[in-house]
Amino acid sequence: MTCYLCTRSIVRLERGNILTQFHIFIIRAILGAVFAVILSRMFYPDANIIYVAGLGIILVGLAYFAEYLRNRKKQQP
């Protein structure tokens, strides 16, 4: 969810240009990787890189799931 909150604040650029979905994915992937490394190093310093990558994938997936839930609530009357 942290990635979702971070990307929503930078979706619009200075002149009102909207980022493409690919750019949003790249930003979420980078933020997911950074937060996965930070979380894994804080709680499990000896974690294997595979587990850190898995945590990053889960974080990005949760960001998209949170966006889905947010958009679903807006579409309901």
Side-chain angles (χ1 to χ4, degrees), residues 13-75:
L13 297 174
E14 294 174 3
R15 296 180 184 217
N17 296 333
I18 298 176
L19 294 177
T20 63
Q21 291 296 322
F22 180 71
H23 288 116
I24 293 172
F25 170 74
I26 295 298
I27 292 169
R28 286 179 178 170
I30 291 170
L31 288 173
V34 168
F35 283 112
V37 169
I38 291 171
L39 288 173
S40 65
R41 295 302 171 216
M42 276 192 339
F43 295 108
Y44 300 105
D46 297 332
N48 192 353
I49 190 70
I50 300 298
Y51 296 117
V52 177
L55 180 61
I57 291 170
I58 289 171
L59 289 174
V60 173
L62 286 173
Y64 277 103
F65 182 66
E67 181 181 17
Y68 165 75
L69 291 176
R70 182 177 152 268
N71 288 338
R72 188 181 67 159
K73 287 183 180 179
K74 279 187 175 180
Q75 293 176 357

